[in-house]
Amino acid sequence: MTQHNPHSVPLDPGVFVPVGVRAWQDGYDEAISSPPDVPRTPLVRDPDYAGAWADGALAGNADGRAEGWRWAYFEGKVRPEPKDEAIAGYGPQDSGEPEGTTFSFAHSWPCVGERPLLVMVAQFAPGESGGDGLTGRSLAQACADKGVRQLYLPVNLSSSQPTKEPTGDALHDAGYWHGTVSESLEEAAPEAIAQVTVRVPSFAGLVRYAPAAEHNFFDLLPVDGLLPPER
């Protein structure tokens, strides 16, 4: 069973969010995308951040071993090759999506990362909080409030040069094009497919999000299962 952030978030708006919320989530995300060992705690000045980060990393490593590792694709991590049983199965799965007539989204990669979720929060639930460890829970709550089971975001899978001046768009600032968040594959697929057909060579796909409590979990569905060669 997936472990959850033990640090509580204040219910009253405007109240300071404890540093442990973000720190635990940062450690968890780093560990579940870093098989097979628990990553080293970063050197930081704040002992509360370091302690919560280390606790999150232990939880993320345990969940990775028990439930499967996740790829921090948009955080710049290269997928490690499975060399032993600890990281076996770290690869694509059946997406469960219907086959298209021309292009397919048959494969899904279990991923983790805040960047695409920040974009989804901004588009799907403007005004809701992102960052500080709140992104996943904000998006999950917005989906629950609106009765939405899944969201899709078209993305380019190759990054260009990051923007010199931050725009506030987490994917664009990291050099990734993205489209408009939608509630169905049928709505989102044409934007992703257009990136493949009008730009040569180009690799695109869909970020598929299903509410996962506070976690920054999503599936990456490449068009025709194709990823950039450097990945």
Side-chain angles (χ1 to χ4, degrees), residues 64-209:
R65 289 178 178 275
E67 302 179 5
W69 306 98
R70 289 180 169 268
W71 189 1
Y73 189 94
F74 295 105
E75 312 306 314
K77 279 197 175 184
V78 176
R79 179 176 62 92
E81 293 297 327
K83 297 178 181 178
D84 56 42
E85 292 183 0
I87 53 177
Y90 190 61
Q93 302 175 358
D94 183 343
S95 71
E97 300 288 356
E99 291 284 340
T101 56
T102 306
F103 293 91
S104 168
F105 293 91
H107 295 152
S108 65
W109 292 83
C111 291
V112 64
E114 193 175 34
R115 283 193 174 117
L117 271 59
L118 282 166
V119 172
M120 287 178 157
V121 167
Q123 291 191 10
F124 183 69
E128 293 296 324
S129 297
D132 290 331
L134 303 178
T135 305
R137 72 182 68 217
S138 294
L139 189 54
Q141 186 60 55
C143 287
D145 292 344
K146 298 182 181 184
V148 173
R149 296 178 59 187
Q150 290 189 138
L151 294 172
Y152 297 83
L153 180 71
V155 290
N156 196 293
L157 303 181
S158 297
S159 63
S160 58
Q161 287 294 324
T163 56
K164 294 182 179 180
E165 296 294 331
T167 65
D169 184 304
L171 284 176
H172 283 166
D173 287 348
Y176 291 96
W177 171 90
H178 69 77
T180 305
V181 69
S182 303
E183 296 180 23
S184 71
L185 179 78
E186 291 75 16
E187 292 179 79
E191 273 197 279
I193 292 169
Q195 289 293 304
V196 175
T197 56
V198 303
R199 297 175 59 186
V200 180
S202 184
F203 298 86
L206 297 174
V207 168
R208 181 179 65 188
Y209 171 79

Side-chain angles (χ1 to χ4, degrees), residues 20-98:
V21 174
R22 172 100 199 191
W24 191 96
Q25 208 64 50
D26 286 349
Y28 184 97
D29 290 358
E30 177 65 25
I32 204 169
S33 60
S34 303
D37 301 319
V38 179
R40 184 176 299 177
T41 304
L43 296 175
V44 293
R45 293 177 179 272
D46 189 338
D48 292 334
Y49 182 95
W53 195 101
D55 290 341
L58 288 172
N61 180 264
D63 282 355
R65 289 178 178 275
E67 302 179 5
W69 306 98
R70 289 180 169 268
W71 189 1
Y73 189 94
F74 295 105
E75 312 306 314
K77 279 197 175 184
V78 176
R79 179 176 62 92
E81 293 297 327
K83 297 178 181 178
D84 56 42
E85 292 183 0
I87 53 177
Y90 190 61
Q93 302 175 358
D94 183 343
S95 71
E97 300 288 356

